[in-house]
Amino acid sequence: MSSNTPVLEMRNVDKSFGPIDVLHDISLKVNEGEVLCLLGDNGAGKSTLIKTLSGVHQPTRGEMLMDGKPVSFNRPKDAQDMGIATVHQFGGTYPLMSVGRNFFAGAEPTKGFGPFRIFDRQKANKIAVEQVQKFGITRITDGDRLVGGLSGGERQSLAIARAVYFGARVLILDEPTAALGVKQAAHVLRIVNEAKRRGLAVIFITHQVMHAMAVGDHFAVLIRGAIAADFRKGDKSREEIADLMAGGESMADLEASIGV
Amino acid sequence: MADPDTTETTSKDGFSLLSLFRRPEAGAAAGFILIFVFFSYFGWEKNFLTPLGSSTWLNFASKVGIIAIPVGFLMIAGELDISVGAMIPAGGIVLAMSVGLYEMNIWVGVIISLAICAGFGFINGMLVTRTNVPSLIVTLATLFVIAGLNAYVSKQLAGTTQHSLADVGVVSEFIMGDYHSLILGDGDSKFTIFRSLQSSFFIWLIFAIVCGYILHVSPWGNWIFAMGGDQESARNAGIPTNRLKIALFMLSAMAAGLVGMTEAVLANTASTTTQFGMIFNSIICVVVGGVLLTGGFGTVTGTVFGTLTFGIVFQGINFTTFDKDLNMLFIGVLLLVAVLMNDSFRNWATSASTSKKK
């Protein structure tokens, strides 16, 4: 395992939809056991970047590499097969299905044979509860519980645990803490740390600087489709990052302009 | 609900009142019992509970029921199918024409009829998955297309819209469309288990068991729920959502065709009249059965209970002293009450489990 080769790398990637350039000359890399925080205001191109990473869009120019080898994803499934898992906010969970059924949706464990293969509920529940608990969600003990009854943080954790269990190497988390309260967000951040500890490469997309600073090793700030800053942990202060995200405008100016 | 006693019972023997209420079909079952008791009381004088009286509403329920189950599948998957209204006569007349006009064996006719319905279902599925037009609109369109084809093709080929279907042999009649009774003993000691139940009732029973197996025991059921819960996530999880959806449309079309065939064999006649009533009836049964209109939630058992409830309310008024004109009013109220009740039960199902461990 050479830790010098990034698991996933983007080199000079452009993405345009017709005449509109959305991403411009993006170069990013993320190593095993590292959290890359992608910061950006609304409309900075974060979503397009995620979709390009997860195979929904194909780059117009530039290349993507996995373990140093060029790859191209035609469909999200291609990216998944390579071990890139994208977890959207509440994504991948079905509120009115049980924890066990959620965890194994699309990859159900079965017992029996032929046309009599049946969904192995007990096994599914057992593994699901085990895996979720390993991520520190000890409140989930019953695999038959409906996911709709879980908190936002727990659902997010379930989705992450699921991705890890099914062999994800790169975890793309799309605003996992955006709609969560302080406590729940802390929960999710702990899970991000746990994933990192297990050697996953995590790309953490957020616009909350505090959350990014709590877990990030490496930061990239996206402004109008281009990387405006790329730095490592401890290089910049919270205020500096916030200023960068606001498009270089200092927070103080912003406050002045709205008359605080 | 966070009663410590309750929690303890659950963990010990896996059964408690709470876990019973958590079952998704609890609402539908409770509704059924309520309606059943109500009509048993008010219909006692007019033999609502006798085997013959019961078969009146059971026979009615069985036909709606066969259609309601696959329509319920579609609704769980987040879709609707209202083209069943024209698929019923299509199934009947194709069978009648195959046997009457082209002198085929009845079972060849059944297969042809099922194949044609499956074809229409396939078209429904393709249109819905390829165009992203809501299935309500797609199947509304195909409802009329098929209704038009029914009338046109049967006039062209047979010169009539009323086809007669002669008796097709004892065994086929027995399976497809006959009245069945089971009476033990004779004379004064005879005991009637059931009387004058149509073949469709038994078909419904078997179909419900098979579909219950598919939805709740086989892994495909999980796919249907996931698709209705969040289609995008389901697709990302590797579930072939398009193919599954097409298969479900084919299933509902074939089920409707089958109902048309049983009616044709039973009545020895098939008509091209579109059964608009059955569209609403099947949807009412599914919704009363606790299936969520927006998808992702429901059970076959619930749908069966919903259908029984609907059958009782629809037919049961004839056994009471209530004015028959109130029939539709009863059904409307039933639908509203059932939906409200199912909502509460569903909320309990999600919240009761949260408070289980604090």
Side-chain angles (χ1 to χ4, degrees):
Chain A
M1 186 183 82
S2 70
S3 57
N4 295 331
T5 320
V7 183
L8 185 64
E9 185 176 0
M10 272 183 147
R11 275 193 200 152
N12 312 102
V13 166
D14 290 353
K15 175 69 196 171
S16 41
F17 296 101
I20 304 153
D21 290 324
V22 183
L23 296 179
H24 188 67
D25 201 20
I26 304 277
S27 295
L28 284 175
K29 54 186 168 192
V30 59
N31 292 318
E32 274 178 2
E34 191 184 69
V35 178
L36 166 69
C37 288
L38 208 58
L39 298 152
D41 211 353
N42 292 342
K46 283 179 299 182
S47 311
T48 311
L49 185 53
I50 302 161
K51 284 181 177 162
T52 312
L53 284 168
S54 58
V56 179
H57 299 322
Q58 285 72 49
T60 314
R61 268 175 301 279
E63 58 176 349
M64 299 205 333
L65 300 101
M66 251 191 119
D67 301 315
K69 293 185 207 79
V71 285
S72 69
F73 308 130
N74 296 318
R75 281 168 292 143
K77 190 85 177 58
D78 294 347
Q80 271 170 32
D81 290 344
M82 298 286 285
I84 299 177
T86 310
V87 176
H88 299 281
Q89 214 181 0
F90 297 136
T93 59
Y94 315 96
L96 292 167
M97 284 167 74
S98 73
V99 170
R101 281 178 176 268
N102 256 280
F103 197 85
F104 283 99
E108 292 79 6
T110 54
K111 55 184 177 191
F113 55 90
F116 300 106
R117 276 183 317 123
I118 64 168
F119 176 69
D120 193 342
R121 186 179 126 252
Q122 268 158 348
K123 188 175 166 193
N125 287 356
K126 190 168 154 275
I127 297 176
V129 170
E130 251 171 40
Q131 292 300 320
V132 176
Q133 291 207 338
K134 268 193 196 161
F135 272 95
I137 313 292
T138 46
R139 222 168 66 92
I140 298 178
T141 50
D142 177 7
D144 277 330
R145 251 166 88 167
L146 298 187
V147 164
L150 305 182
S151 73
E154 284 167 339
R155 285 175 67 173
Q156 197 77 51
S157 311
L158 176 71
I160 296 173
R162 180 180 194 278
V164 173
Y165 178 77
F166 285 106
R169 296 180 59 215
V170 182
L171 201 54
I172 302 174
L173 303 176
D174 183 8
E175 304 261 3
T177 57
L180 303 180
V182 178
K183 227 171 132 183
Q184 292 295 329
H187 216 106
V188 171
L189 294 177
R190 261 210 309 281
I191 301 234
V192 172
N193 264 331
E194 173 64 24
K196 167 178 149 183
R197 201 185 58 74
R198 292 196 191 184
L200 270 85
V202 182
I203 301 177
F204 182 62
I205 292 104
T206 184
H207 59 249
Q208 277 155 307
V209 183
M210 285 300 283
H211 294 166
M213 293 191 76
V215 291
D217 300 302
H218 195 154
F219 302 83
V221 180
L222 206 59
I223 296 177
R224 284 188 290 276
I227 301 231
D230 189 345
F231 51 93
R232 297 203 67 84
K233 190 174 185 166
D235 288 355
K236 279 190 167 47
S237 72
R238 191 169 81 85
E239 284 72 22
E240 281 176 299
I241 302 173
D243 288 352
L244 269 169
M245 276 175 65
E249 229 176 306
S250 105
M251 207 62 198
D253 293 347
L254 200 65
E255 277 170 8
S257 73
I258 55 174
V260 179
Chain B
M1 281 287 177
D3 187 344
D5 288 337
T6 327
T7 318
E8 206 135 88
T9 350
T10 317
S11 54
K12 266 184 192 150
D13 51 19
F15 181 83
S16 73
L17 203 59
L18 179 68
S19 67
L20 198 66
F21 277 126
R22 270 172 65 184
R23 297 198 62 84
E25 57 269 28
F32 167 72
I33 292 167
L34 214 71
I35 293 289
F36 183 76
V37 169
F38 179 85
F39 278 95
S40 297
Y41 179 76
F42 286 101
W44 184 261
E45 308 264 281
K46 290 192 178 180
N47 302 324
F48 172 80
L49 267 184
T50 61
L52 194 59
S54 306
S55 64
T56 314
W57 50 270
L58 284 175
N59 284 339
F60 174 79
S62 70
K63 285 169 196 150
V64 198
I66 294 173
I67 302 174
I69 293 170
V71 166
F73 275 23
L74 276 168
M75 220 184 268
I76 292 171
E79 304 291 344
L80 274 174
D81 185 3
I82 59 173
S83 66
V84 290
M87 220 70 85
I88 301 169
I93 60 168
V94 170
L95 180 69
M97 283 196 289
S98 304
V99 175
L101 202 60
Y102 297 104
E103 296 174 347
M104 292 176 192
N105 176 283
I106 170 101
W107 294 106
V108 177
V110 168
I111 290 167
I112 291 176
S113 180
L114 282 178
I116 288 177
C117 290
F120 284 132
F122 181 77
I123 293 170
N124 275 337
M126 284 298 274
L127 286 173
V128 169
T129 52
R130 291 286 179 273
T131 62
N132 288 325
V133 175
S135 50
L136 175 73
I137 306 299
V138 168
T139 55
L140 181 62
T142 52
L143 169 75
F144 281 90
V145 169
I146 297 164
L149 280 175
N150 284 344
Y152 178 77
V153 171
S154 81
K155 275 263 184 66
Q156 292 297 311
L157 293 182
T160 174
T161 54
Q162 292 288 339
H163 304 267
S164 65
L165 177 63
D167 272 347
V168 285
V170 184
V171 179
S172 326
E173 287 277 329
F174 183 83
I175 297 170
M176 290 295 290
D178 206 346
Y179 291 98
H180 302 282
S181 304
L182 181 62
I183 298 161
L184 298 177
D186 47 37
D188 286 341
S189 66
K190 77 172 181 186
F191 182 74
T192 311
I193 309 280
F194 56 81
R195 203 178 145 192
S196 296
L197 283 178
Q198 293 170 11
S199 300
S200 55
F201 175 78
F202 300 95
I203 296 176
W204 180 38
L205 216 62
I206 296 167
F207 190 57
I209 292 169
V210 172
C211 287
Y213 175 83
I214 293 176
L215 190 65
H216 301 296
V217 186
S218 85
W220 297 305
N222 223 23
W223 296 7
I224 298 174
F225 283 116
M227 186 161 76
D230 184 345
Q231 183 162 324
E232 204 53 47
S233 298
R235 189 175 296 138
N236 286 339
I239 296 168
T241 48
N242 284 355
R243 263 187 293 162
L244 189 59
K245 208 170 266 182
I246 293 169
L248 290 180
F249 275 108
M250 289 169 73
L251 185 69
S252 73
M254 287 195 288
L258 185 64
V259 169
M261 285 188 264
T262 60
E263 283 179 345
V265 174
L266 188 79
N268 294 111
T269 172
S271 147
T272 56
T273 315
T274 307
Q275 303 206 12
F276 288 100
M278 285 296 255
I279 301 168
F280 296 111
N281 293 355
S282 59
I283 294 175
I284 292 171
C285 292
V286 171
V287 173
V288 171
V291 175
L292 191 59
L293 196 62
T294 46
F297 193 77
T299 57
V300 171
T301 325
T303 307
V304 169
F305 277 124
T307 310
L308 287 172
T309 312
F310 177 75
I312 292 176
V313 176
F314 205 91
Q315 296 287 328
I317 198 150
N318 297 319
F319 293 94
T320 65
T321 47
F322 301 123
D323 195 315
K324 286 173 186 56
D325 295 336
L326 288 172
N327 203 5
M328 291 291 169
L329 182 141
F330 265 107
I331 288 172
V333 173
L334 167 78
L335 186 62
L336 272 179
V337 171
V339 170
L340 292 173
M341 212 159 73
N342 285 329
D343 269 355
S344 326
F345 270 93
R346 194 166 40 247
N347 287 338
W348 288 344
T350 42
S351 60
S353 42
T354 328
S355 57
K356 244 189 94 179
K357 182 148 185 190
K358 271 271 152 67

